[in-house]
Amino acid sequence: MNHFEYLQPTDLAEASRLLGDGPDEAMIFAGGTDMLSLLKDDVVAPRKLINIKGIPGLDDIRYTPGNGLVLGPLVTIRAIKENPTIREHYPVLAEAADVLASPQLRNLGTLGGNLCQRPRCWYFRGDFDCLRKGGATCYALEGRNKYHCIIGGHPCVIVHPSDMAVALLALDAKVTIYTPEETRQIPLNEFFVRPAEDYEREHVLKPGEIMSRIEVPAPPSGMLSGYRKFMERAVWDFAVVSVAAVFTRSGDRITGGRVSFGGVAPVPWQDEAFNRKLSGLRLTKRSVTDACKTLLSGAEPLSENAFKLPLARNLTGSLLLELAGVPL
Amino acid sequence: MEGTFRINGRHELLEFSERATLLQVLRDNGHQEVKEGCAEGQCGSCLVLLDGRLVNSCQVFAAAAVNREITTVQGLGTIHAPHAIQEALVEVGAVQCGFCTPGMVMAAYYLLRHHPDPSEKEIRRALDGNLCRCTGYTKIIEGIRLAARRMRQA
């Protein structure tokens, strides 16, 4: 771990000023569950760490019927998992929090940190001068790539590790970004950066910018939602593939909704063609299974991860049917 | 850097580097009951309560714990006055090499404070982030069930 200065601003303006010219100068420190590992492994080496936990008002959970949910970036994963309002109105969020890490890490880890965490790729985390760390090669392309992406990769084939992002994407969440000049709001799917645009970053935050709020629209009446995460062991692992589904139904048909994926792409992923087809889809085993056969049809699996495509399709089908109460 | 920590009810003024984790500061100052396993948040052997919340002390900077309340396994019970959880683990034979035990005790304490009557599944899930390299989980779970029963009756 390099030497750094540990600073504790008490408002966003000061924090933003301290962040200076970018990650070589200063990085934000919140729950620390990912940052400590990145520092210990010398993946990052900022001169200053800006602890934002002393800034008031960033750990609020507010729900207003009709308006929806507002979450501060410092809300812990445990708080999301246990919040009765979230469990009632947004099961997909509580379920994603429930299968994330371990109890003690959920106590420390924050929503903002979960959305901004760095990839788990073993070449990125390990002692490799990989593309994402300024090198010339994505070692996973020709190397060990069982857990890497099957769609949207190249020139770097990481997967985005966040569970919360997948659930929030299915809920059509928006992110508010504080800058000294103005505060702006963007849809969550515009928050993440694909490697084809810039393979050295996972999100759009520029130097001095801080995520200040996450907003989730009010749930339409009768909304069904859920999160399913496939892990190689029962608990405490990152998703091999995960899927979040949010939809409404009338009789035996879906009237609208959205499905999103973790573990398949460098960003939390949506198959827009599939989401358009959801509206009107009959909730029978046959029609859901048929529709899922076309999911992620542009996928180009790597040498060791072709299994992810049928896994994503089957997880989606079973989640939709399970939420609808159709026997599998 | 310098700061006061309230450790097991006693104020301690300690010096530490800005890079030091809470785990390092605790161990460097006589709290070797807190074990260092993986030092990256995966094994649970360094668990403490920070203001009553269970955390991996290896994933917290000491600077972030200044002026806060820290409880280690010694704060729950000692060899002469063991906590019901410690007593139960000894009784059922849940301690093999003993390295994971302090973390297991802290995780069990945190569970039982919030759920005095947990199911076996809830006990297992509460230990999601605790590894026992002797793989003695069965006895550990049995010990926590016994402790839970006794604590409810006490």
Side-chain angles (χ1 to χ4, degrees), chain A residues 1-50:
Chain A
M1 203 186 294
N2 68 309
H3 279 280
F4 53 79
E5 216 181 324
Y6 184 79
L7 301 166
Q8 311 198 59
T10 52
D11 63 57
L12 280 171
E14 191 190 354
S16 169
R17 188 177 52 74
L18 291 170
L19 280 169
D21 293 332
D24 288 340
E25 178 170 350
M27 293 179 79
I28 291 179
F29 186 80
T33 53
D34 190 25
M35 187 58 84
L36 255 299
S37 303
L38 292 166
L39 288 164
K40 286 176 188 171
D41 294 342
D42 292 315
V43 178
V44 298
R47 289 189 293 276
K48 296 177 204 157
L49 272 192
I50 316 299

Short mmCIF file of all heavy atoms in Angstrom, two decimals, chain A residues 1-50:
data_model
loop_
_atom_site.label_atom_id
_atom_site.label_comp_id
_atom_site.label_asym_id
_atom_site.label_seq_id
_atom_site.Cartn_x
_atom_site.Cartn_y
_atom_site.Cartn_z
N MET A 1 0.86 -1.21 0.00
CA MET A 1 0.00 0.00 0.00
C MET A 1 0.88 1.25 0.00
O MET A 1 1.84 1.32 0.76
CB MET A 1 -0.89 -0.02 1.26
CG MET A 1 -2.14 0.81 1.12
SD MET A 1 -3.10 0.90 2.67
CE MET A 1 -3.65 -0.77 2.93
N ASN A 2 0.57 2.20 -0.87
CA ASN A 2 1.37 3.43 -0.91
C ASN A 2 1.02 4.34 0.27
O ASN A 2 0.03 4.12 0.97
CB ASN A 2 1.12 4.18 -2.23
CG ASN A 2 -0.29 4.73 -2.30
OD1 ASN A 2 -1.25 4.03 -2.07
ND2 ASN A 2 -0.41 6.01 -2.59
N HIS A 3 1.82 5.38 0.45
CA HIS A 3 1.48 6.37 1.48
C HIS A 3 0.46 7.34 0.92
O HIS A 3 0.53 7.73 -0.24
CB HIS A 3 2.73 7.15 1.89
CG HIS A 3 3.55 6.39 2.88
ND1 HIS A 3 3.24 6.33 4.21
CD2 HIS A 3 4.66 5.62 2.70
CE1 HIS A 3 4.13 5.58 4.82
NE2 HIS A 3 4.99 5.12 3.94
N PHE A 4 -0.51 7.69 1.73
CA PHE A 4 -1.52 8.64 1.26
C PHE A 4 -1.95 9.51 2.43
O PHE A 4 -1.72 9.18 3.60
CB PHE A 4 -2.74 7.91 0.67
CG PHE A 4 -3.31 6.90 1.60
CD1 PHE A 4 -4.14 7.27 2.66
CD2 PHE A 4 -3.01 5.54 1.45
CE1 PHE A 4 -4.66 6.33 3.54
CE2 PHE A 4 -3.53 4.60 2.32
CZ PHE A 4 -4.35 4.99 3.36
N GLU A 5 -2.57 10.61 2.07
CA GLU A 5 -3.13 11.49 3.07
C GLU A 5 -4.60 11.10 3.23
O GLU A 5 -5.27 10.83 2.23
CB GLU A 5 -3.04 12.92 2.53
CG GLU A 5 -2.74 13.98 3.56
CD GLU A 5 -2.70 15.35 2.88
OE1 GLU A 5 -2.23 15.43 1.72
OE2 GLU A 5 -3.17 16.29 3.50
N TYR A 6 -5.10 11.07 4.47
CA TYR A 6 -6.48 10.64 4.73
C TYR A 6 -7.28 11.86 5.14
O TYR A 6 -7.05 12.43 6.20
CB TYR A 6 -6.46 9.59 5.85
CG TYR A 6 -7.79 8.96 6.18
CD1 TYR A 6 -8.32 7.95 5.39
CD2 TYR A 6 -8.50 9.35 7.31
CE1 TYR A 6 -9.52 7.34 5.71
CE2 TYR A 6 -9.71 8.76 7.63
CZ TYR A 6 -10.21 7.75 6.83
OH TYR A 6 -11.40 7.16 7.15
N LEU A 7 -8.18 12.29 4.27
CA LEU A 7 -8.90 13.54 4.50
C LEU A 7 -10.39 13.29 4.72
O LEU A 7 -10.95 12.37 4.12
CB LEU A 7 -8.69 14.48 3.30
CG LEU A 7 -7.21 14.82 3.04
CD1 LEU A 7 -7.04 15.44 1.66
CD2 LEU A 7 -6.68 15.74 4.12
N GLN A 8 -11.00 14.11 5.58
CA GLN A 8 -12.39 13.87 5.95
C GLN A 8 -13.24 15.14 5.79
O GLN A 8 -13.55 15.80 6.77
CB GLN A 8 -12.46 13.36 7.39
CG GLN A 8 -11.47 12.21 7.64
CD GLN A 8 -11.79 11.41 8.87
OE1 GLN A 8 -12.86 10.84 8.99
NE2 GLN A 8 -10.86 11.36 9.81
N PRO A 9 -13.60 15.46 4.55
CA PRO A 9 -14.41 16.66 4.32
C PRO A 9 -15.81 16.49 4.92
O PRO A 9 -16.26 15.37 5.15
CB PRO A 9 -14.49 16.74 2.80
CG PRO A 9 -14.32 15.33 2.34
CD PRO A 9 -13.37 14.69 3.32
N THR A 10 -16.48 17.62 5.14
CA THR A 10 -17.82 17.55 5.74
C THR A 10 -18.91 18.04 4.79
O THR A 10 -20.07 18.07 5.16
CB THR A 10 -17.87 18.37 7.05
OG1 THR A 10 -17.37 19.67 6.77
CG2 THR A 10 -17.02 17.73 8.13
N ASP A 11 -18.54 18.46 3.59
CA ASP A 11 -19.59 18.73 2.60
C ASP A 11 -19.09 18.37 1.19
O ASP A 11 -17.89 18.17 0.97
CB ASP A 11 -20.09 20.18 2.68
CG ASP A 11 -19.00 21.19 2.34
OD1 ASP A 11 -18.42 21.10 1.25
OD2 ASP A 11 -18.72 22.05 3.20
N LEU A 12 -20.05 18.26 0.28
CA LEU A 12 -19.73 17.78 -1.07
C LEU A 12 -18.78 18.73 -1.81
O LEU A 12 -17.90 18.28 -2.55
CB LEU A 12 -21.02 17.60 -1.89
CG LEU A 12 -21.81 16.31 -1.61
CD1 LEU A 12 -23.17 16.36 -2.30
CD2 LEU A 12 -21.03 15.09 -2.11
N ALA A 13 -18.96 20.04 -1.60
CA ALA A 13 -18.13 21.01 -2.31
C ALA A 13 -16.65 20.82 -1.94
O ALA A 13 -15.77 20.80 -2.81
CB ALA A 13 -18.59 22.44 -1.98
N GLU A 14 -16.41 20.65 -0.63
CA GLU A 14 -15.04 20.45 -0.18
C GLU A 14 -14.49 19.11 -0.70
O GLU A 14 -13.35 19.03 -1.18
CB GLU A 14 -15.02 20.48 1.36
CG GLU A 14 -13.63 20.55 1.96
CD GLU A 14 -13.64 20.33 3.48
OE1 GLU A 14 -14.76 20.24 4.05
OE2 GLU A 14 -12.57 20.23 4.06
N ALA A 15 -15.33 18.08 -0.63
CA ALA A 15 -14.89 16.76 -1.11
C ALA A 15 -14.52 16.84 -2.59
O ALA A 15 -13.50 16.31 -3.02
CB ALA A 15 -15.99 15.72 -0.89
N SER A 16 -15.36 17.52 -3.35
CA SER A 16 -15.14 17.64 -4.78
C SER A 16 -13.82 18.38 -5.06
O SER A 16 -13.04 17.98 -5.92
CB SER A 16 -16.33 18.38 -5.40
OG SER A 16 -16.04 18.73 -6.72
N ARG A 17 -13.57 19.45 -4.30
CA ARG A 17 -12.34 20.22 -4.48
C ARG A 17 -11.12 19.34 -4.16
O ARG A 17 -10.14 19.33 -4.89
CB ARG A 17 -12.39 21.44 -3.57
CG ARG A 17 -11.26 22.45 -3.78
CD ARG A 17 -11.45 23.68 -2.88
NE ARG A 17 -11.64 23.34 -1.47
CZ ARG A 17 -10.67 22.92 -0.65
NH1 ARG A 17 -9.44 22.78 -1.09
NH2 ARG A 17 -10.93 22.63 0.61
N LEU A 18 -11.22 18.56 -3.08
CA LEU A 18 -10.10 17.72 -2.67
C LEU A 18 -9.80 16.61 -3.70
O LEU A 18 -8.68 16.11 -3.77
CB LEU A 18 -10.39 17.08 -1.31
CG LEU A 18 -10.41 18.03 -0.11
CD1 LEU A 18 -10.95 17.31 1.13
CD2 LEU A 18 -9.02 18.58 0.16
N LEU A 19 -10.82 16.23 -4.46
CA LEU A 19 -10.61 15.15 -5.44
C LEU A 19 -9.65 15.58 -6.56
O LEU A 19 -9.04 14.73 -7.21
CB LEU A 19 -11.95 14.70 -6.04
CG LEU A 19 -12.74 13.75 -5.14
CD1 LEU A 19 -14.15 13.56 -5.68
CD2 LEU A 19 -12.04 12.40 -5.02
N GLY A 20 -9.53 16.90 -6.77
CA GLY A 20 -8.50 17.41 -7.66
C GLY A 20 -8.55 16.89 -9.07
O GLY A 20 -9.61 16.85 -9.69
N ASP A 21 -7.41 16.42 -9.57
CA ASP A 21 -7.26 16.12 -10.99
C ASP A 21 -7.58 14.68 -11.37
O ASP A 21 -7.41 14.29 -12.51
CB ASP A 21 -5.83 16.41 -11.44
CG ASP A 21 -5.54 17.91 -11.37
OD1 ASP A 21 -6.49 18.69 -11.53
OD2 ASP A 21 -4.37 18.26 -11.16
N GLY A 22 -7.98 13.87 -10.41
CA GLY A 22 -8.31 12.50 -10.79
C GLY A 22 -7.69 11.47 -9.88
O GLY A 22 -7.07 11.81 -8.88
N PRO A 23 -7.88 10.19 -10.22
CA PRO A 23 -7.54 9.09 -9.31
C PRO A 23 -6.07 8.98 -8.90
O PRO A 23 -5.77 8.41 -7.86
CB PRO A 23 -7.99 7.83 -10.07
CG PRO A 23 -8.34 8.28 -11.44
CD PRO A 23 -8.54 9.74 -11.44
N ASP A 24 -5.14 9.53 -9.70
CA ASP A 24 -3.74 9.50 -9.25
C ASP A 24 -3.56 10.44 -8.06
O ASP A 24 -2.75 10.20 -7.18
CB ASP A 24 -2.79 9.91 -10.37
CG ASP A 24 -2.71 8.84 -11.43
OD1 ASP A 24 -3.05 7.68 -11.11
OD2 ASP A 24 -2.33 9.16 -12.57
N GLU A 25 -4.35 11.52 -8.06
CA GLU A 25 -4.23 12.49 -6.98
C GLU A 25 -5.08 12.06 -5.77
O GLU A 25 -4.60 12.01 -4.65
CB GLU A 25 -4.67 13.87 -7.45
CG GLU A 25 -4.61 14.90 -6.33
CD GLU A 25 -4.79 16.32 -6.80
OE1 GLU A 25 -4.78 16.55 -8.02
OE2 GLU A 25 -4.96 17.20 -5.95
N ALA A 26 -6.33 11.76 -6.03
CA ALA A 26 -7.22 11.47 -4.90
C ALA A 26 -8.35 10.55 -5.32
O ALA A 26 -8.81 10.60 -6.46
CB ALA A 26 -7.79 12.77 -4.34
N MET A 27 -8.80 9.71 -4.40
CA MET A 27 -9.94 8.83 -4.65
C MET A 27 -10.91 8.90 -3.48
O MET A 27 -10.50 9.15 -2.34
CB MET A 27 -9.48 7.39 -4.87
CG MET A 27 -8.68 7.21 -6.15
SD MET A 27 -8.12 5.51 -6.40
CE MET A 27 -9.60 4.75 -7.02
N ILE A 28 -12.18 8.65 -3.79
CA ILE A 28 -13.20 8.66 -2.74
C ILE A 28 -13.11 7.38 -1.93
O ILE A 28 -12.89 6.29 -2.48
CB ILE A 28 -14.60 8.78 -3.38
CG1 ILE A 28 -14.77 10.17 -3.99
CG2 ILE A 28 -15.69 8.51 -2.34
CD1 ILE A 28 -16.09 10.38 -4.66
N PHE A 29 -13.31 7.52 -0.63
CA PHE A 29 -13.32 6.37 0.27
C PHE A 29 -14.67 6.35 1.00
O PHE A 29 -15.03 7.32 1.66
CB PHE A 29 -12.17 6.49 1.27
CG PHE A 29 -12.01 5.29 2.14
CD1 PHE A 29 -11.37 4.17 1.67
CD2 PHE A 29 -12.54 5.28 3.42
CE1 PHE A 29 -11.23 3.05 2.47
CE2 PHE A 29 -12.40 4.16 4.22
CZ PHE A 29 -11.74 3.05 3.74
N ALA A 30 -15.41 5.25 0.84
CA ALA A 30 -16.71 5.18 1.54
C ALA A 30 -16.69 3.95 2.44
O ALA A 30 -16.02 3.95 3.46
CB ALA A 30 -17.85 5.16 0.53
N GLY A 31 -17.37 2.86 2.06
CA GLY A 31 -17.37 1.66 2.91
C GLY A 31 -16.00 1.02 3.00
O GLY A 31 -15.64 0.41 4.00
N GLY A 32 -15.23 1.13 1.93
CA GLY A 32 -13.86 0.64 1.94
C GLY A 32 -13.69 -0.82 1.59
O GLY A 32 -12.57 -1.30 1.50
N THR A 33 -14.79 -1.54 1.40
CA THR A 33 -14.65 -2.99 1.23
C THR A 33 -13.91 -3.35 -0.05
O THR A 33 -13.19 -4.35 -0.09
CB THR A 33 -16.02 -3.70 1.25
OG1 THR A 33 -16.86 -3.08 0.29
CG2 THR A 33 -16.67 -3.60 2.62
N ASP A 34 -14.07 -2.56 -1.10
CA ASP A 34 -13.28 -2.80 -2.31
C ASP A 34 -11.99 -1.98 -2.27
O ASP A 34 -10.92 -2.47 -2.64
CB ASP A 34 -14.09 -2.44 -3.56
CG ASP A 34 -13.40 -2.89 -4.84
OD1 ASP A 34 -12.60 -3.84 -4.78
OD2 ASP A 34 -13.67 -2.30 -5.90
N MET A 35 -12.07 -0.74 -1.79
CA MET A 35 -10.91 0.16 -1.83
C MET A 35 -9.72 -0.39 -1.04
O MET A 35 -8.58 -0.31 -1.49
CB MET A 35 -11.33 1.54 -1.31
CG MET A 35 -10.25 2.59 -1.46
SD MET A 35 -9.70 2.81 -3.15
CE MET A 35 -10.95 3.94 -3.72
N LEU A 36 -9.99 -0.97 0.13
CA LEU A 36 -8.89 -1.52 0.93
C LEU A 36 -8.14 -2.60 0.15
O LEU A 36 -6.91 -2.64 0.18
CB LEU A 36 -9.44 -2.11 2.24
CG LEU A 36 -9.26 -1.38 3.57
CD1 LEU A 36 -7.81 -1.20 3.91
CD2 LEU A 36 -9.97 -0.07 3.59
N SER A 37 -8.89 -3.46 -0.54
CA SER A 37 -8.24 -4.52 -1.31
C SER A 37 -7.45 -3.94 -2.48
O SER A 37 -6.35 -4.39 -2.77
CB SER A 37 -9.28 -5.51 -1.85
OG SER A 37 -10.02 -6.04 -0.78
N LEU A 38 -8.01 -2.93 -3.14
CA LEU A 38 -7.30 -2.31 -4.27
C LEU A 38 -6.00 -1.65 -3.80
O LEU A 38 -4.98 -1.72 -4.48
CB LEU A 38 -8.20 -1.27 -4.95
CG LEU A 38 -9.43 -1.82 -5.69
CD1 LEU A 38 -10.40 -0.69 -6.01
CD2 LEU A 38 -9.01 -2.53 -6.97
N LEU A 39 -6.06 -1.03 -2.63
CA LEU A 39 -4.87 -0.37 -2.08
C LEU A 39 -3.83 -1.41 -1.64
O LEU A 39 -2.64 -1.29 -1.93
CB LEU A 39 -5.24 0.51 -0.88
CG LEU A 39 -6.01 1.79 -1.18
CD1 LEU A 39 -6.65 2.33 0.10
CD2 LEU A 39 -5.12 2.85 -1.80
N LYS A 40 -4.30 -2.47 -0.95
CA LYS A 40 -3.38 -3.49 -0.46
C LYS A 40 -2.68 -4.20 -1.61
O LYS A 40 -1.54 -4.59 -1.51
CB LYS A 40 -4.12 -4.52 0.40
CG LYS A 40 -4.50 -4.00 1.78
CD LYS A 40 -5.33 -5.06 2.52
CE LYS A 40 -5.89 -4.51 3.81
NZ LYS A 40 -6.84 -5.43 4.43
N ASP A 41 -3.42 -4.38 -2.71
CA ASP A 41 -2.84 -5.08 -3.86
C ASP A 41 -2.12 -4.13 -4.82
O ASP A 41 -1.71 -4.54 -5.91
CB ASP A 41 -3.94 -5.86 -4.61
CG ASP A 41 -4.52 -6.98 -3.77
OD1 ASP A 41 -3.87 -7.38 -2.78
OD2 ASP A 41 -5.64 -7.45 -4.08
N ASP A 42 -2.03 -2.85 -4.44
CA ASP A 42 -1.38 -1.84 -5.28
C ASP A 42 -1.98 -1.72 -6.68
O ASP A 42 -1.29 -1.40 -7.64
CB ASP A 42 0.14 -2.10 -5.39
CG ASP A 42 0.83 -1.87 -4.05
OD1 ASP A 42 0.54 -0.84 -3.41
OD2 ASP A 42 1.65 -2.71 -3.64
N VAL A 43 -3.28 -2.01 -6.78
CA VAL A 43 -3.96 -1.80 -8.06
C VAL A 43 -4.19 -0.30 -8.25
O VAL A 43 -4.12 0.23 -9.36
CB VAL A 43 -5.32 -2.56 -8.12
CG1 VAL A 43 -6.04 -2.29 -9.43
CG2 VAL A 43 -5.07 -4.05 -7.96
N VAL A 44 -4.47 0.40 -7.15
CA VAL A 44 -4.56 1.87 -7.18
C VAL A 44 -3.60 2.43 -6.14
O VAL A 44 -3.26 1.75 -5.17
CB VAL A 44 -6.00 2.37 -6.89
CG1 VAL A 44 -6.97 1.87 -7.94
CG2 VAL A 44 -6.46 1.96 -5.50
N ALA A 45 -3.14 3.66 -6.37
CA ALA A 45 -2.18 4.28 -5.44
C ALA A 45 -2.37 5.80 -5.43
O ALA A 45 -1.50 6.54 -5.85
CB ALA A 45 -0.76 3.91 -5.85
N PRO A 46 -3.54 6.25 -4.93
CA PRO A 46 -3.77 7.70 -4.91
C PRO A 46 -2.93 8.39 -3.83
O PRO A 46 -2.55 7.75 -2.86
CB PRO A 46 -5.26 7.80 -4.57
CG PRO A 46 -5.54 6.57 -3.79
CD PRO A 46 -4.63 5.50 -4.33
N ARG A 47 -2.65 9.68 -4.03
CA ARG A 47 -1.89 10.42 -3.00
C ARG A 47 -2.78 10.82 -1.83
O ARG A 47 -2.32 11.07 -0.74
CB ARG A 47 -1.24 11.66 -3.62
CG ARG A 47 -0.08 11.30 -4.55
CD ARG A 47 0.71 12.53 -4.97
NE ARG A 47 -0.06 13.43 -5.81
CZ ARG A 47 -0.20 13.29 -7.12
NH1 ARG A 47 0.38 12.28 -7.74
NH2 ARG A 47 -0.91 14.14 -7.82
N LYS A 48 -4.10 10.91 -2.10
CA LYS A 48 -5.04 11.26 -1.03
C LYS A 48 -6.25 10.33 -1.08
O LYS A 48 -6.70 9.96 -2.16
CB LYS A 48 -5.57 12.69 -1.21
CG LYS A 48 -4.56 13.78 -1.11
CD LYS A 48 -5.26 15.10 -1.39
CE LYS A 48 -4.27 16.14 -1.89
NZ LYS A 48 -4.94 17.19 -2.65
N LEU A 49 -6.76 10.01 0.11
CA LEU A 49 -8.04 9.30 0.18
C LEU A 49 -9.04 10.26 0.81
O LEU A 49 -8.78 10.84 1.87
CB LEU A 49 -7.93 8.07 1.07
CG LEU A 49 -7.49 6.75 0.46
CD1 LEU A 49 -7.75 5.64 1.45
CD2 LEU A 49 -8.21 6.46 -0.85
N ILE A 50 -10.18 10.41 0.15
CA ILE A 50 -11.18 11.34 0.64
C ILE A 50 -12.33 10.55 1.26
O ILE A 50 -13.17 10.00 0.53
CB ILE A 50 -11.73 12.22 -0.52
CG1 ILE A 50 -10.59 12.72 -1.43
CG2 ILE A 50 -12.57 13.37 0.03
CD1 ILE A 50 -9.56 13.57 -0.74
#
